Structure formats: structure tokens, C-alpha cells
Amino acid sequence: MTEYSDLYTSWIVKGSHLNKILNCGQKYNGWAEHALCCLPPDIFWKYRDRLYFIGTGDMDACRVAPALSRDREIIVLSERIFPKKGAAEDNPKVRYFIFVVLHEIAHVVKNHRSPLLDKLTKEENEAQEKEADDLAIDWFNAYIATRNSPYLKSITPDEITEAKEINQKLMEKAYEES
């Protein structure tokens, strides 16, 4: 069991909690770790044993073992959204990446249902997405406030919409070029 004081020990430390829940690859685990540090500590503590992150940056595919998926929320992160090495915290890609991680954790916290498996209506799914967006924005902006930096601005719904549009175009371009 992870002690509260050890919760944020780096993923690089073998056996640390973050080492056990981050499987995004050598290049990307640090970014996932940073995003989790933006989550309110009481939320991370409460859900620490239910989260597992996979990134596709170092692999073409990944099988999730039944032992993991039985008790955990598996969050798969596309390498397309990971920031580049050395990007600063005020970089739009870094901000969007953090938002995406927080958004997915918000779905866990709110116990949201699967649009496909639970056959949600479009309206029900949109309501869940808005709720996850709102909570992720609140967490993100609370974290930014703790940094007390004039260079780190609050994230806005417009910024998120713009980032989603950019990423959608990148996804479409990658598909067309393959």
C-alpha cells in the first residue's frame, strides 16, 4: 500500500506508486506524472489504486492484462497529445495534455458510464463530457493558482476547443498519410 507521503515519488523509482501505474514509455511517463501532480492530492489519494495509464508512444499495440482491467480504470493516451521533450508548462500542448489527463480522471471520479456499452443518448454523453470538462478545468485552474506565476494563465473552454480542433486535424492528417 502506498503511503500518502510517497504518492508522488517519481515513476523512475522502481516500486513507487507512479512506477506501478504509468506505462506510457520512457519518453512520456514524466509528462503523465506531471499531469497527475496537477490533480488535487486528495483526489489522487482516493483513486490511486483505480488508475492505470498506457501511452502508445513506445509500442504499436498493448494488451491490457485482465488482472489490471478488473479493478482499475485504464486510461489510454495517444502519443499525438504528449508534449515534446523540454516543452514549458505554458506551452499549449502541455496545457492540453494536462487537461486531457484531468478530464479522463474526472470521468472516473464522477463514475461516468460508457457511451457505447451503456447505450447513452447523445444528450447523456454530452452532459457527461461537459461535467468532465468543467471538473478538469476547475482542477487545472486550481493548480495554476498554486503556481502563482504571471506566465501561467487559467485554461479556458475556448482554449480547449481550439486544442481539440488542432488535434482532430492532426489525427485526420495522420490517417490520410498512412
Side-chain angles (χ1 to χ4, degrees):
M1 175 101 174
T2 302
E3 296 294 325
Y4 190 81
S5 60
D6 297 330
L7 189 61
Y8 291 100
T9 299
S10 176
W11 71 272
I12 297 170
V13 177
K14 189 172 180 145
S16 70
H17 184 70
L18 289 169
N19 180 264
K20 294 175 187 175
I21 70 167
L22 297 179
N23 185 15
C24 300
Q26 288 283 117
K27 293 184 284 192
Y28 302 120
N29 277 346
W31 285 117
E33 178 180 314
H34 180 70
L36 288 169
C37 289
C38 299
L39 190 64
D42 60 321
I43 299 295
F44 190 25
W45 177 253
K46 182 175 180 179
Y47 292 92
R48 71 192 179 282
D49 294 326
R50 287 188 51 201
L51 300 173
Y52 189 81
F53 294 83
I54 297 173
T56 58
D58 286 352
M59 59 189 121
D60 292 330
C62 177
R63 176 185 171 269
V64 178
L68 272 177
S69 60
R70 186 174 19 255
D71 299 323
R72 293 182 183 260
E73 298 282 344
I74 307 297
I75 298 171
V76 180
L77 302 168
S78 168
E79 74 275 4
R80 182 176 30 80
I81 69 163
F82 280 92
K84 300 295 182 225
K85 181 179 180 178
E89 200 170 20
D90 64 341
N91 181 294
K93 282 195 72 125
V94 172
R95 293 167 60 81
Y96 182 65
F97 176 78
I98 292 169
F99 167 79
V100 168
V101 171
L102 298 178
H103 172 95
E104 293 307 320
I105 295 171
H107 283 303
V108 174
V109 168
K110 292 298 186 176
N111 201 27
H112 285 165
R113 299 177 301 149
S114 165
L116 179 63
L117 299 176
D118 295 320
K119 298 181 175 82
L120 297 183
T121 66
K122 181 180 177 186
E123 293 77 19
E124 289 170 325
N125 186 52
E126 287 173 356
Q128 284 188 167
E129 289 300 319
K130 181 173 180 355
E131 186 176 41
D133 281 355
D134 291 347
L135 187 52
I137 288 169
D138 288 348
W139 287 339
F140 186 99
N141 290 336
Y143 166 76
I144 292 297
T146 68
R147 297 299 309 276
N148 197 25
S149 168
Y151 304 106
L152 296 175
K153 305 294 183 201
S154 295
I155 199 164
T156 66
D158 288 341
E159 180 181 353
I160 294 162
T161 299
E162 182 179 333
K164 285 180 184 178
E165 289 170 359
I166 290 168
N167 278 284
Q168 184 66 37
K169 288 177 184 169
L170 288 172
M171 189 170 33
E172 290 168 8
K173 181 180 178 192
Y175 177 74
E176 290 168 2
E177 291 176 352
S178 60

